[in-house]
């Protein structure tokens, strides 16, 4: 259920960005093409197509020859009803207002101090966007804003290692 909600917010945000890009480039909506890998959505939530069809029209479905999932499809943003766009804009505001809440510290475990290298922040953000992992964006932004983080490892498994 959480994955479906994240998927809806992600596709709504993608739709809003596509519509905004069309308006800025003075193109009609029908000529705004968004290249996208549908397999990444299928790997996220199996029945993604209902949500995708609400926001986008699939103009061309990419083909996959081999074991990779690098097929590219072409999407065109649909006109969304005004009542739905108000809900979408509220959801987009919620996305930008989300904050990562640090979990409580466990009572036992081995503490390992990790220093965060800030020079890779742009690369990590681009990689999250490329791999369609919007669900990790807020947590990664929090982690990259820290200089050092204490990770706590608990013993687990049959051997308690």
């Amino acid at each position: 259920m959480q994955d479906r909600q994240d998927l809806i917010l992600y596709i709504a945000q993608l739709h809003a960005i596509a519509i905004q890009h069309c308006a800025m480039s003075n193109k009609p909506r029908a000529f705004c093409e968004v290249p996208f890998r549908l397999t990444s959505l299928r790997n996220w939530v199996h029945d993604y197509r209902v949500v995708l069809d609400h926001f986008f029209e699939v103009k061309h479905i990419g083909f996959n020859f081999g074991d990779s999932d690098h097929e590219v499809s072409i999407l065109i943003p649909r006109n969304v009803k005004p009542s739905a766009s108000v809900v979408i804009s509220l959801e987009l505001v919620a996305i930008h207002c989300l904050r990562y809440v640090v979990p409580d510290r466990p009572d036992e475990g081995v503490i390992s101090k990790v220093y965060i290298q800030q020079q890779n922040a742009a690369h990590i953000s681009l990689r999250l966007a490329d791999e369609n992992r919007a669900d990790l964006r807020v947590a990664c932004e929090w982690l990259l804003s820290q200089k050092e983080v204490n990770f706590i490892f608990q013993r687990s498994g049959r051997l308690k290692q």
Side-chain angles (χ1 to χ4, degrees), residues 117-137:
Q117 296 179 357
Q118 300 296 327
Q119 65 265 19
N120 294 329
H123 174 70
I124 291 171
S125 298
L126 289 173
R127 187 164 176 197
L128 287 174
D130 287 345
E131 295 182 7
N132 298 320
R133 293 303 309 261
D135 55 321
L136 297 177
R137 183 180 57 86

Side-chain angles (χ1 to χ4, degrees), residues 66-128:
D67 295 334
S68 63
D69 61 348
H70 296 291
E71 60 198 53
V72 177
S73 301
I74 304 297
L75 307 176
I76 296 175
R78 292 184 186 267
N79 279 334
V80 180
K81 296 178 182 178
S83 61
S85 66
V86 171
V87 172
I88 292 167
S89 63
L90 290 175
E91 290 171 345
L92 290 175
V93 168
I95 286 174
H96 295 294
C97 295
L98 291 177
R99 298 289 176 254
Y100 179 70
V101 178
V102 181
D104 294 334
R105 182 177 177 192
D107 294 333
E108 57 186 45
V110 178
I111 296 176
S112 175
K113 186 176 294 247
V114 177
Y115 296 98
I116 309 297
Q117 296 179 357
Q118 300 296 327
Q119 65 265 19
N120 294 329
H123 174 70
I124 291 171
S125 298
L126 289 173
R127 187 164 176 197
L128 287 174

Side-chain angles (χ1 to χ4, degrees), residues 4 9 19-20 31 35 39 42 52 59 65 69 81 90-91 100 111 123 128 144-146 154 157:
R4 283 194 179 97
L9 292 174
I19 293 294
Q20 183 181 22
F31 291 105
T39 53
R42 184 177 62 228
L52 183 72
K59 179 180 178 184
F65 299 106
D69 61 348
K81 296 178 182 178
L90 290 175
E91 290 171 345
Y100 179 70
I111 296 176
H123 174 70
L128 287 174
L144 290 170
S145 69
Q146 306 297 311
Q154 295 179 345

